[in-house]
Amino acid sequence: MSAPVVQIANLSRVFDVSKPWLERVIAREGRLKLNAVDGVSFEIRKGETFALVGESGSGKSTVAKMVVGLLGPSGGHVQFNGLQPGEKPRPGAIQMIFQDPYASLNPRWRVRDIIAEPMEAIGLRRDAALRAKRVDELLTLVGLSPRDGDKYPHQFSGGQRQRIAIARALSSEPSFIVCDEPTSALDVSVQAQILNLMRELQERLGLTYLFISHNLAVVRHMAHRIGVMYLGRLVEIQDSDALFDNPQHPYTRLLIDAVPNLSEIGRDRVPVQGEVPSPINPPSGCTFHPRCPLVMDICKRERPAFIDGVACHALSRKG
Amino acid sequence: MAEPAVLEVKGLTLEFATRHGTLRALDDISFSIRRGEVLGVVGESGAGKSLTGSAIIGLVERPGRITGGEIRLKGERIDNLPPDRMRAIRGRRIGMIFQDPLTSLNPVFRIGDQLIETIQTHTGMGQAEARQRAIALLTEVGIPAPENRIDAYPHEFSGGMRQRVVIALALSVEPDLVIADEPTTALDVSVQAQIITLLKRLCRTRGTSVMLITHDMGVIAETADRVAVMYAGRIVEIGPVKDVIKHPQHPYASGLMGAIPALDTRLNRLTQISGSMPRLDAIPAGCAFAPRCTKAIDRCRSERPDLMPAGASEAACWLVGKVSAEASA
Amino acid sequence: MAGASPPPATQNSDGSWLRRVWDSDIGWSFRHSPVAIVSAIVSIVMILAAVLAPLFAPQDPFNPAVLNLMEGLTPPGTPNEFTQKSFVFGSDSQGRDMFSAVLYGTQVSLLVGAASVLFSAVFGVLLGLMAGYIGGKTESIIMRIADIQLSFPAILIALLIFGVARGLIPPGQQEDATLILLILAIGLSNWAQYARTVRGSTMVEKNKEYVQAARVIGRSPFLIMVKHILPNVMGPVTVIATINLALAIIEEATLSFLGVGMPPTQPSLGTLIRVGQQFLFSGEWWILFFPAITLVILALAINLLGDWLRDALNPRLR
């Protein structure tokens, strides 16, 4: 088994969502805290795709932002291979691909400059001609033409823009890329292009991905290992095949069962009731207990420990 | 079939007059929906699926204009009605459910007021009777404690509950047809499953016809009876949902099915259709899909195919015979 | 509803810069707006005439040597009774050609207006960028000052600044420094509007993913503000600047009219109006009329141009 590229230990993030001071005083309210991420631990191994899935409010994107350093953790740490806990790697060693290709490229910049910016920022290929050549190579690598470098982002479709974003991410020669819902803004046929491209690039360049998505089928297609998040906590981590063939945590089962599937035409089902509660005032104990079919008394009181890749009282009882 | 179709669309054409000339956004769209039937309409963004919905309910924004074809609701032509008569039809005979429930719910009114007002306008019931009916509807769409919740404001509901209220509102006047435009796109998967199940159950018990517009083939597979696949303003394939998913006839439809990652198997590569859908101002002559089609022949580039029978479905493709032969081989 | 609007037209990337602007949405809007075309032509003609005043003006109105008192108070169009010299806009009490005076006065007005707009735009945009991007205390301080300043009329602020600054300068140099002081005073009285607008746009832009992408690779806040955010918030700034140019010209005229602006030795349109109004009741209307009508036309043309620009950049507001 290869070494971990990054280890995440007990990572937490609290957001202050209180109203402004004056309004709080007038309404006699206290401060409001939102535990977006609460004690999340996992590691990502070299060359693999580790995916975090979950519904809205699960905190998966907040984890991604803390891993790339866009947000600081409130507790716990992110440790990169060979560095001290919390120490930041060289700029450009970690890159990020974003959800919305219409917002992730500066509309006033030429594509060539967008792709060259990371090189400029970290002082890679200081010679202008070398840099231009590299931009051409990157454009070709992601399936565009070097001539596209002189255009502006608005001249491209969503899928092409996401290719440009990938080229930009690759230009600082990272080994680890965080992908935050990279295809959820794209149409299916274009999504397939981007997913295929990302897997090709992973094989050719030996990349490691942290892949954030709410779409289980996409995660199934991309990930080697998967972590399932619910209300800021990890409830299950498994190898991809194991997770889909034999999901353990009741929430994982619910999630997999809820996805409409092409192979089950016209199926009738009994969906699980209830919705994800607000993370501002989450349920006590195991946060999933109000919706859980296996709920026991202890679930309402105690937060379950993470044992063998699952955090569930009912399962640890059995074992 | 003695009973006329609930909705019949024939040769619907919609154009935008822009300063760069006229853009044809919908081109010769024809389909029908029978009583109690759910017709799914899928396509990528810009394919014209939402626009088809807007055209049917008479809400095409300028500079868009219906320039051809006709739309009939239970045999009565509705595409050329004056705005006030169309408004009555929209409220009473065609219900609407949109992606964002807040577009249908007025934030300053209690949900009960909106429901009761709608019921009263369309049935002439008294206040107390209408309120009873509203509570019954809320129970039916699965709102817990409807006697109390009826006096709540839209912002006091979660996203899934709001969409249930919208469904109640759409069904409150017992319309002939419900047009649901991406009704579950803004919701989480577990809530989406609840809403799909609800929509299906209600239409089955009430015999309401539904036009379900979505980009999610999975939702269509679970909900629809028939499906129309749209591409660049045209229907490229229409047929029973099982046939279109399992044996798609049009190369675009079959590419689309292969491009969707599946839950049960992990493929090495997804089928990919190269390129992207043309913009409205750059739709090629002949078949609009021809430039991306691996099977295109000369005829595809010069002559535009109409829908023609292909297996259990209809597909707009010159190669229909060949494709189906290959698929069965 | 998604897909209910036509996609934007594709643009050819070839062709010159001018050609691209002409073919763009702004260019199209311009070609289809008679008001914009007329006001653009009027503005350009007046600006050119003012800038090239030494070429057009029959005389140098600030050179006392060329003035002839005998030619004083000649009505427009009629030859002077002593020298038979004719003045298009008439002449003032010292025999100064009003046409030349208006040309040079427009030059001074435009110079003060443009320089103060430039000053307030640079100052306001920088403060707005900082407030929006950095946030926290920096933002609170900048925006509270802006709020206080916006609650007073700009002309009062300008009067205050002008008065204080003038007091600090030794009496002998006051006349020479007036131009600079006026520019500073008008500029400082108008920065808050830019700061507010830019802060708002910056707060929208800074949460966009392209800014996050720049942060991920370790770009400094200064570079992100200047290279990434600034180009994307300039649209509204150009609109405010255009409309403010008209306002600044009027503000300068007001100050000069009140006697705290440009001295009569180097008159702006405002100074000319102040001087002219003394002759209004004795029947020499042209001394007031021509500077005043010039000011009105100039301010109106620039204002209409600004209005059009705002609509063209912001189609939703129409």
Side-chain angles (χ1 to χ4, degrees), chain A residues 172-224:
Chain A
S172 65
E173 301 182 359
S175 57
F176 176 46
I177 301 182
V178 175
C179 319
D180 188 3
E181 304 258 14
T183 60
S184 60
L186 305 175
D187 285 312
V188 240
S189 73
V190 179
Q191 164 173 287
Q193 296 170 9
I194 299 298
L195 294 180
N196 285 340
L197 173 69
M198 287 177 65
R199 274 181 59 170
E200 268 170 42
L201 290 171
Q202 178 166 45
E203 275 164 37
R204 276 172 72 174
L205 308 171
L207 298 170
T208 306
Y209 290 140
L210 170 59
F211 194 92
I212 311 290
S213 180
H214 70 280
N215 186 329
L216 281 162
V218 167
V219 162
R220 162 79 167 176
H221 182 69
M222 292 297 291
H224 301 103

Side-chain angles (χ1 to χ4, degrees), chain A:
Chain A
M1 194 133 301
S2 34
V5 171
V6 58
Q7 275 181 301
I8 279 110
N10 212 11
L11 200 65
S12 299
R13 173 72 203 199
V14 180
F15 287 110
D16 188 343
V17 290
S18 326
K19 289 181 184 145
W21 172 80
L22 196 62
E23 272 181 54
R24 265 201 334 265
V25 172
I26 292 168
R28 301 193 185 178
E29 281 173 11
R31 285 189 166 273
L32 275 183
K33 300 266 160 116
L34 185 154
N35 289 305
V37 176
D38 186 2
V40 165
S41 305
F42 61 90
E43 58 175 47
I44 304 174
R45 298 169 198 144
K46 192 169 173 8
E48 77 169 351
T49 301
F50 182 88
L52 284 178
V53 277
E55 299 178 89
S56 53
S58 65
K60 51 192 193 303
S61 286
T62 311
V63 172
K65 283 190 179 142
M66 287 193 280
V67 171
V68 292
L70 281 174
L71 271 179
S74 311
H77 62 251
V78 179
Q79 183 178 11
F80 291 92
N81 188 20
L83 301 177
Q84 292 299 308
E87 193 182 334
K88 294 217 165 124
R90 74 161 173 92
I94 314 174
Q95 270 286 17
M96 187 154 180
I97 299 170
F98 296 89
Q99 172 176 4
D100 183 0
Y102 291 86
S104 68
L105 306 177
N106 192 332
R108 304 277 162 176
W109 285 32
R110 280 181 202 276
V111 166
R112 181 170 295 288
D113 301 324
I114 292 175
I115 296 177
E117 197 196 12
M119 291 191 257
E120 197 189 319
I122 63 174
L124 203 64
R125 285 174 239 276
R126 288 178 194 281
D127 182 76
L130 273 180
R131 202 180 278 168
K133 192 165 154 267
R134 180 65 187 152
V135 170
D136 288 352
E137 285 168 15
L138 285 165
L139 278 167
T140 316
L141 186 67
V142 297
L144 295 169
S145 138
R147 274 179 309 151
D148 290 331
D150 295 325
K151 296 183 187 162
Y152 285 93
H154 72 88
Q155 291 169 291
F156 295 90
S157 67
Q160 290 171 319
R161 288 183 205 212
Q162 204 58 307
R163 288 173 192 268
I164 296 168
I166 291 173
R168 170 179 62 191
L170 293 175
S171 91
S172 65
E173 301 182 359
S175 57
F176 176 46
I177 301 182
V178 175
C179 319
D180 188 3
E181 304 258 14
T183 60
S184 60
L186 305 175
D187 285 312
V188 240
S189 73
V190 179
Q191 164 173 287
Q193 296 170 9
I194 299 298
L195 294 180
N196 285 340
L197 173 69
M198 287 177 65
R199 274 181 59 170
E200 268 170 42
L201 290 171
Q202 178 166 45
E203 275 164 37
R204 276 172 72 174
L205 308 171
L207 298 170
T208 306
Y209 290 140
L210 170 59
F211 194 92
I212 311 290
S213 180
H214 70 280
N215 186 329
L216 281 162
V218 167
V219 162
R220 162 79 167 176
H221 182 69
M222 292 297 291
H224 301 103
R225 289 194 309 133
I226 298 169
V228 181
M229 289 188 74
Y230 185 75
L231 274 180
R233 298 179 186 173
L234 265 173
V235 295
E236 182 165 1
I237 298 181
Q238 297 289 350
D239 285 347
S240 177
D241 289 338
L243 188 91
F244 283 96
D245 295 343
N246 191 14
Q248 297 291 312
H249 196 281
Y251 176 65
T252 315
R253 289 187 223 162
L254 174 156
L255 206 57
I256 292 178
D257 193 53
V259 180
N261 207 337
L262 284 194
S263 55
E264 295 174 54
I265 293 165
R267 95 166 143 156
D268 283 307
R269 52 151 123 231
V270 188
V272 177
Q273 291 306 312
E275 294 178 36
V276 184
S278 156
I280 292 177
N281 219 336
S284 59
C286 170
T287 48
F288 186 59
H289 82 254
R291 302 172 74 189
C292 183
L294 307 177
V295 63
M296 304 181 299
D297 267 355
I298 188 175
C299 304
K300 296 170 188 164
R301 294 191 313 269
E302 272 176 46
R303 177 175 177 173
F306 206 84
I307 302 165
D308 292 335
V310 195
C312 179
H313 289 300
L315 294 174
S316 56
R317 260 313 141 78
K318 260 190 258 162

Side-chain angles (χ1 to χ4, degrees), chain C residues 25-76:
Chain C
D25 290 347
I26 299 272
W28 186 85
S29 163
F30 182 77
R31 278 176 286 155
H32 287 74
S33 165
V35 174
I37 295 173
V38 171
S39 48
I41 292 172
V42 170
S43 309
I44 289 171
V45 166
M46 292 181 83
I47 290 169
L48 278 180
V51 172
L52 305 175
L55 297 181
F56 289 113
Q59 62 169 220
D60 178 357
F62 304 127
N63 185 356
V66 302
L67 299 183
N68 185 348
L69 272 178
M70 301 285 282
E71 292 169 1
L73 300 177
T74 316

Side-chain angles (χ1 to χ4, degrees), chain B residues 268-281:
Chain B
N268 256 333
R269 248 182 101 77
L270 298 166
T271 313
Q272 71 179 48
I273 310 173
S274 59
S276 53
M277 200 170 68
R279 296 193 199 203
L280 288 184
D281 57 354

